[in-house]
Amino acid sequence: MTVMRPSPKSVLEAVYEIVMATTHRAEPALSELGLTMSTAYALWAIDPEEPAPTMKAMAQRLRCNASNLTFISDRLVKLGYITRTEDPRNRRFRVLSLTPTGQAARQRALDVLEESCPLIRLTEVQQDDLMKLLGETLLSPEPLSPEPLSPEPLSPEPLSPEPSATTARR
């Protein structure tokens, strides 16, 4: 069933709708792999071309806390997609490594997500242009924060302090 939505009113809404449409279309195939979107994102974040990331690095990549990452990584370990071992460079840390099965599942998940994304309908030139625009917004590691709003006073005049018990006795 195709859901007809009104045109997005902002870039943020358009991005949201693209992510939601991608998620909706990808979930059945990801489910066949035993993955949720969270576990698929975790597999995606482990690049087989890079050294195995620490749990701390993964939590930062996924923008989640340690307990959420533990839950996600436990699921991926049970599926046989990753191993969680001591970091050989620093034994205080744990690293996450893809297994051969995990590498295959990661590639399948990435293929499914790409095939499910509505942006696949764009021409190659349009996709390149969009990548350049999106890349410009991601140059800063942290999102730009808006100027803080100045607080509005709760009342037109500052409240005078209540007399203390010692002042009241005088």
Side-chain angles (χ1 to χ4, degrees):
M1 171 173 84
T2 302
V3 177
M4 297 301 293
R5 299 218 181 262
S7 294
K9 295 176 184 75
S10 69
V11 172
L12 180 60
E13 187 177 345
V15 169
Y16 171 80
E17 289 296 333
I18 289 166
V19 170
M20 295 308 293
T22 303
T23 300
H24 178 73
R25 292 176 186 151
E27 280 179 334
L30 293 177
S31 181
E32 289 175 14
L33 294 167
L35 298 173
T36 62
M37 285 305 297
S38 294
T39 53
Y41 288 146
L43 279 183
W44 190 349
I46 303 172
D47 187 340
E49 304 297 319
E50 294 179 1
T54 64
M55 292 282 285
K56 181 179 180 177
M58 279 292 290
Q60 290 170 343
R61 287 179 190 176
L62 297 173
R63 293 170 176 85
C64 70
N65 62 39
S67 63
N68 285 348
L69 181 58
T70 298
F71 178 79
I72 290 168
S73 63
D74 283 347
R75 177 79 179 131
L76 293 172
V77 167
K78 286 178 186 168
L79 288 167
Y81 292 163
I82 65 168
T83 59
R84 190 173 42 220
T85 57
E86 194 174 86
D87 185 345
R89 295 165 294 199
N90 186 336
R91 297 182 338 176
R92 295 175 295 161
F93 297 107
R94 295 273 189 205
V95 294
L96 302 177
S97 303
L98 292 169
T99 64
T101 304
Q103 287 184 8
R106 179 185 185 272
Q107 188 57 57
R108 177 68 184 128
L110 292 176
D111 291 345
V112 164
L113 289 166
E114 188 165 329
E115 293 162 6
S116 300
C117 183
L119 297 175
I120 200 166
R121 296 182 195 131
L122 298 177
T123 67
E124 193 172 324
V125 170
Q126 289 171 321
Q127 288 183 33
D128 288 345
D129 290 345
L130 182 57
M131 274 296 297
K132 288 174 191 163
L133 289 170
L134 294 174
E136 288 177 26
T137 67
L138 299 173
L139 291 177
S140 170
E142 291 298 315
L144 300 175
S145 52
E147 287 188 32
L149 298 174
S150 57
E152 293 187 23
L154 297 176
S155 63
E157 299 175 18
L159 297 175
S160 57
E162 296 274 333
S164 66
T166 49
T167 312
R169 282 189 221 137
R170 289 185 191 170

